[in-house]
Amino acid sequence: MQKWKVVVTDWEYADLRYEEQVLDRERIELVPAQCRTEEEVIAACRDADALINQYAPITRKVIDSLEKCRVITRYGVGVNTVDLEAATEKGICVANVPDYCMDEVADHALALLLAWTRKVVVANHHVKSGVWDFKVTQPISRLRGKVLGLIGFGKIPQALAEKVKPLGLRVIAHDPFVPEALAQEKGVQLVSLDELCREADFVSVHAPLTQATEGMVGSEQFDAMKPSAVVINTSRGPVIDERALIEALRTGRIAGAALDVVEREPISPDNPLLTMEQVILTPHVAWYSEEAAAEMRTKAAMGVVDVLLHGEYPKYLVNTQVKEKVRLKESCPQNRYAAYV
């Protein structure tokens, strides 16, 4: 019986128990590594049959060095650590876990919206500093009747749209890849990015980070926003041009921001966002719950099993063009995943 080697290039968890639970059951060898550079990844992974990746760079140079890798799975939704073009050219399947934290991220975006609107952070700071006075939060405006603009309308912003309906918010969205019929079904109006920026009281960013979306919210978009607008970001920091955001906040072109992600993480100690009272920051935590973490890690390992053990394309295949390079069976039955998650 063939012994497969799977390398975890890097991780930030206390252990690898969820990955081990899946792979040990299938008698697949799990090799932990903590790589930070291309050279470290190459040294650890050259003879691996599969990689599970978090932040370590899986560049073209790394992929060219892989002698027999068949699949790379990534913790989470984004795959910006992996050179998809290079992987596809080499016939390596790349998979993510796009559905593990939909409620968590939608909940966090809503929490940021409410915290900013109700001045929760400001009030908490003053009370703990000995000031018991509601006037420190003035002004606070009523939420009902305001407009929430969603940049991107995938599963997470769709969930957020449902969560805000009872609050009396009108929801608009910009997403060139979403059909009008779906938006109508969800009670959301599709608009251009410019129209969204002009109309929204809250602009919540949910676009994935790609070459096309990097910096898509910049000076032009901030100029179009209301002076009372608040920008919320729970997707990826570089989707927003951070320099333009800081300038818009400094000059009062927008009222505030609530950010779970920034351009460079962890945030630099000299980042001006840290000293701005109109900004709420959280440390890229929107994805997290104990249940979501377990599901993500389990499904990342299952993507490896799909390819190595069952000869199938992984359930969450990202680079679908790889099907032109490598012939595998189509996606696995749902109940195989249900047995683990």
Side-chain angles (χ1 to χ4, degrees):
M1 182 176 179
Q2 182 166 359
K3 187 74 170 178
W4 304 102
K5 176 182 176 180
V6 178
V7 176
V8 182
T9 63
D10 59 310
W11 75 96
E12 56 182 0
Y13 317 115
D15 53 47
L16 293 172
R17 64 184 183 275
Y18 297 110
E19 298 83 349
E20 289 166 352
Q21 179 185 358
V22 173
L23 299 178
D24 285 355
R25 189 186 297 187
E26 308 295 354
R27 299 187 179 184
I28 295 174
E29 180 188 7
L30 183 68
V31 179
Q34 284 290 21
C35 306
R36 294 290 179 266
T37 66
E38 284 180 318
E39 289 70 25
E40 289 173 347
V41 178
I42 290 168
C45 302
R46 188 182 298 276
D47 63 343
D49 297 289
L51 311 183
I52 300 176
N53 169 252
Q54 188 165 27
Y55 301 125
I58 312 299
T59 62
R60 179 175 288 276
K61 180 179 177 181
V62 169
I63 289 168
D64 286 344
S65 77
L66 300 175
E67 296 171 353
K68 54 179 181 172
C69 181
R70 298 178 61 190
V71 56
I72 299 168
T73 65
R74 189 174 183 282
Y75 293 126
V77 181
V79 288
N80 49 296
T81 59
V82 182
D83 188 322
L84 291 177
E85 185 178 348
T88 303
E89 287 174 8
K90 197 155 185 178
I92 298 173
C93 296
V94 179
N96 63 351
V97 188
D99 59 355
Y100 75 100
C101 63
M102 292 184 294
D103 269 322
E104 284 80 0
V105 178
D107 289 346
H108 199 83
L110 178 56
L112 290 174
L113 188 157
L114 290 171
W116 201 97
T117 302
R118 296 300 309 172
K119 306 287 182 71
V120 172
V121 176
V122 173
N124 175 71
H125 171 75
H126 280 87
V127 170
K128 288 185 174 180
S129 299
V131 179
W132 185 272
D133 185 355
F134 82 93
K135 291 190 291 296
V136 299
T137 66
Q138 291 178 328
I140 290 178
S141 297
R142 180 175 291 169
L143 193 60
R144 185 169 294 275
K146 295 289 195 295
V147 178
L148 171 63
L150 304 170
I151 297 180
F153 197 58
K155 296 293 186 183
I156 290 169
Q158 287 174 32
L160 178 58
E162 286 297 317
K163 292 173 190 292
V164 303
K165 282 180 182 177
L167 301 176
L169 286 164
R170 182 167 74 88
V171 184
I172 60 178
H174 170 70
D175 193 323
F177 303 104
V178 169
E180 184 70 42
L182 174 61
Q184 288 179 355
E185 177 189 325
K186 301 292 183 181
V188 173
Q189 179 188 1
L190 285 180
V191 297
S192 67
L193 181 57
D194 183 64
E195 187 177 352
L196 183 145
C197 290
R198 286 189 281 106
E199 288 194 24
D201 298 290
F202 304 96
V203 176
S204 190
V205 180
H206 299 277
L209 178 59
T210 65
Q211 286 184 341
T213 64
E214 186 171 356
M216 72 178 292
V217 182
S219 295
E220 182 180 346
Q221 287 69 43
F222 295 127
D223 285 343
M225 292 179 194
K226 301 175 182 179
S228 58
V230 177
V231 174
I232 300 163
N233 191 4
T234 52
S235 61
R236 288 292 185 271
V239 175
I240 294 177
D241 180 337
E242 195 166 284
R243 196 173 285 183
L245 171 63
I246 290 168
E247 183 62 19
L249 290 164
R250 271 197 183 127
T251 58
R253 276 156 48 201
I254 63 172
L259 310 171
D260 185 55
V261 288
V262 292
E263 217 165 59
R264 292 189 179 180
E265 298 176 7
I267 192 167
S268 170
D270 61 356
N271 191 313
L273 293 169
L274 291 169
T275 61
M276 293 181 165
E277 291 185 2
Q278 71 273 48
V279 176
I280 296 174
L281 295 164
T282 56
H284 203 150
V285 70
W287 67 274
Y288 172 71
S289 72
E290 286 294 308
E291 295 84 354
E295 182 177 349
M296 173 187 68
R297 294 165 58 189
T298 299
K299 287 182 172 180
M302 283 300 299
V304 168
V305 172
D306 289 344
V307 177
L308 297 187
L309 212 64
H310 300 288
E312 298 167 345
Y313 297 113
K315 180 178 178 181
Y316 303 109
L317 180 67
V318 175
N319 59 334
T320 54
Q321 302 93 329
V322 79
K323 292 182 179 183
E324 299 172 8
K325 289 276 187 178
V326 59
R327 296 292 179 187
L328 298 172
K329 290 181 284 184
E330 285 300 333
S331 58
C332 65
Q334 293 286 337
N335 59 3
R336 185 188 301 154
Y337 276 66
Y340 289 89
V341 178

